[in-house]
Amino acid sequence: MNDPIISNDSPAERLRDWVACKPQGPWFVTIYPTNRCNLVCKMCWQRGVDKLEFSRETSDERLLELVDECADMGVREWLIVGGGEPMLRSKAVMAMCERIRARGMNGVLQCNGTVFSDADFTRLMDIGWDRLTFSVDGPTEEINDAVRSAGSFVKATGHFRRFSAMKRERGATHPSLWLSTVVNRLNYDRLDSMANLVHDCGGDGIQGVVLIPEGPSGRELAIGRERLDEAAEHIRRAARHAREIGLQEMLEWTAYNISVPVGCPSRGRRAGDPGIHRVACLEPWTSVLILPDGEVGPCCAFWDENAPSIQNRPFREIWEGYLAGIRKGFLEDRLPPYCARCQQWLRMRSNTLLAELDPMPAPPKWSEMGAVNFLCMLPHKTLSSIGRYGLRGAVKRGREWLALMRK
């Protein structure tokens, strides 16, 4: 089994190179292999579309070529998701996962969990795939199936338990197993039970996704404005409970996001700042989304019928051409129309990166701190820095910090 890949690079380091007029490739790639799906989920965007076209999917061969092209440009992380249900193209998806790992990249595969096989999961263990996430929208069959489709709860949780047992039998640490839930009016007060479900199934983590209503059935699942504060408190409680029972969680940010409406990202923090420091969003510099027909854009809010496709252009050409035009527009405060669909978590990701681009705050002077206080603080600061910047980045920041202390 391959060991998980740990990168010494980071999105913030890439952005610093951009600031220094050294263009870089993207860090994240999100890809939808297909829009086909075996479930009929009430909140899905497909419920608002009269007719879907599936004949223009990118070929298996081109998807593998794309992985190589992205690796050559320095991509580090992939999210394979839908769209539809990615495992309806299991041959292509499994081949992509293997190529992603072979080329030194990490990935998350998110699916509905109903059509996964033991053989697929064994392949993910063999290559040391980073994370497998199943979408489940309730702690019981009654709640989940009312949202997702009849029979989906039993299939998804059955596979989840089985794969957890397979990991234990092998003594494998990867892939980590997560459940993802779309927070809605049927489950927002049951998320602590969702955490218990993950724990009982032997999983590793739980995450929440803010519902974006699509069509009448999706709007029926929306949490009313009068209950948003209540929902946020339930989510925060579930996050605390998840941590208490030993799970990783991505719920706290959901609690914050749930009361923030979808909409255009705000302008940069300081209007007087130059370049990247003032743009509304950093997604065009750090990430791309690739749709089933190969069209490329900067994020999951993207929709542009005139966007170029990897089916007839190299990825690098699109990154340095079409997406360069989007980056120029952001620098000039000209945002594409689809920015009106921006989700709060994207804005939070950009704000976090912008904060990392700021000059490092001056540490206390050595003469003011004293040796005892310095030694007490050093272990925490070291671990925190490694977690944030990676080993190489932490060493670099540590040298800068010590140099400032001596001044």
Side-chain angles (χ1 to χ4, degrees):
M1 182 180 68
N2 294 337
D3 291 330
I5 296 166
I6 300 175
S7 173
N8 290 326
D9 195 0
S10 74
E13 290 295 326
R14 299 275 180 93
L15 288 169
R16 290 189 184 99
D17 285 333
W18 278 102
V19 171
C21 298
K22 300 175 183 177
Q24 301 292 311
W27 180 270
F28 308 98
V29 173
T30 299
I31 188 164
Y32 299 171
T34 185
N35 282 333
R36 289 177 284 148
C37 194
N38 61 316
L39 301 183
V40 184
C41 302
K42 287 186 176 180
M43 68 291 184
C44 181
W45 67 273
Q46 295 191 15
R47 304 289 76 78
V49 178
D50 293 333
K51 185 177 180 180
L52 291 167
E53 174 60 58
F54 303 125
S55 64
R56 297 173 56 205
E57 290 181 349
T58 304
S59 70
D60 295 9
E61 294 76 17
R62 182 66 188 106
L63 290 176
L64 291 179
E65 291 174 357
L66 172 69
V67 173
D68 286 331
E69 291 175 17
C70 288
D72 291 342
M73 293 184 64
V75 168
R76 298 300 302 170
E77 297 181 15
W78 289 74
L79 172 60
I80 304 174
V81 66
E85 168 48 41
M87 291 308 291
L88 292 184
R89 295 191 66 183
S90 61
K91 179 181 176 182
V93 167
M94 287 296 104
M96 286 182 69
C97 291
E98 291 178 339
R99 185 70 62 86
I100 286 168
R101 290 292 293 156
R103 292 300 308 269
M105 297 175 284
N106 281 323
V108 176
L109 171 56
Q110 182 163 339
C111 55
N112 63 37
T114 64
V115 294
F116 231 91
S117 70
D118 286 8
D120 294 329
F121 189 71
T122 298
R123 290 173 73 179
L124 295 184
M125 285 195 293
D126 287 342
I127 63 176
W129 186 254
D130 192 39
R131 182 185 299 178
L132 175 62
T133 301
F134 283 1
S135 296
V136 176
D137 288 334
T140 66
E141 182 176 1
E142 178 184 10
I143 295 174
N144 176 84
D145 290 6
V147 177
R148 290 208 151 255
S149 284
S152 60
F153 181 83
V154 170
K155 290 179 180 178
T157 57
H159 287 141
F160 199 88
R161 291 180 189 274
R162 169 64 180 155
F163 298 156
S164 177
M166 290 171 65
K167 280 179 64 179
R168 290 195 301 271
E169 291 168 3
R170 182 182 285 206
T173 58
H174 288 76
S176 61
L177 292 170
W178 284 57
L179 284 188
S180 176
T181 187
V182 178
V183 180
N184 61 75
R185 68 174 182 82
L186 299 181
N187 68 14
Y188 74 86
D189 58 349
R190 303 291 301 277
L191 295 179
D192 49 354
S193 297
M194 285 289 295
N196 289 336
L197 173 65
V198 177
H199 183 266
D200 294 344
C201 289
D204 301 291
I206 180 172
Q207 70 182 43
V209 179
V210 175
L211 171 69
I212 299 179
E214 300 279 1
S217 60
R219 287 190 286 273
E220 289 176 6
L221 292 172
I223 302 170
R225 289 185 177 273
E226 70 281 2
R227 292 188 177 181
L228 288 178
D229 290 341
E230 175 190 346
E233 181 52 39
H234 277 289
I235 299 169
R236 283 190 287 267
R237 184 181 68 188
R240 292 192 296 269
H241 177 65
R243 294 192 295 270
E244 288 169 358
I245 61 177
L247 296 179
Q248 301 174 64
E249 59 86 13
M250 293 177 64
L251 291 171
E252 287 282 3
W253 67 272
T254 312
Y256 176 74
N257 291 349
I258 198 165
S259 60
V260 179
V262 171
C264 285
S266 61
R267 198 175 177 185
R269 294 172 301 167
R270 296 185 299 263
D273 281 346
I276 287 177
H277 285 81
R278 69 181 297 271
V279 297
C281 172
L282 292 170
E283 293 297 303
W285 283 264
T286 60
S287 71
V288 294
L289 171 75
I290 302 174
L291 298 175
D293 62 3
E295 291 182 350
V296 181
C299 68
C300 61
F302 152 77
W303 184 260
D304 180 1
E305 293 181 351
N306 298 316
S309 170
I310 60 163
Q311 292 198 33
N312 49 40
R313 293 191 192 180
F315 177 69
R316 181 181 292 275
E317 179 181 315
I318 297 173
W319 177 255
E320 296 177 351
Y322 173 75
L323 285 162
I326 292 177
R327 291 190 287 272
K328 184 175 184 293
F330 271 71
L331 288 168
E332 297 172 353
D333 296 321
R334 292 183 290 104
L335 305 186
Y338 49 77
C339 285
R341 293 173 50 83
C342 183
Q343 299 180 44
Q344 174 64 10
W345 72 268
L346 288 172
R347 285 173 264 175
M348 289 178 66
R349 186 157 77 173
S350 287
N351 288 338
T352 299
L353 288 173
L354 279 169
E356 292 192 37
L357 287 177
D358 275 345
M360 186 168 58
K365 298 293 186 290
W366 176 269
S367 59
E368 300 170 353
M369 186 173 215
V372 173
N373 289 334
F374 174 78
L375 291 173
C376 289
M377 180 186 64
L378 186 60
H380 170 76
K381 180 148 186 83
T382 300
L383 291 174
S384 175
S385 188
I386 291 173
R388 187 173 183 184
Y389 303 112
L391 182 58
R392 186 176 68 179
V395 170
K396 178 181 177 182
R397 300 283 285 190
R399 288 173 178 168
E400 295 172 355
W401 188 72
L402 288 171
L404 287 171
M405 282 188 67
R406 295 191 185 104
K407 289 182 178 180

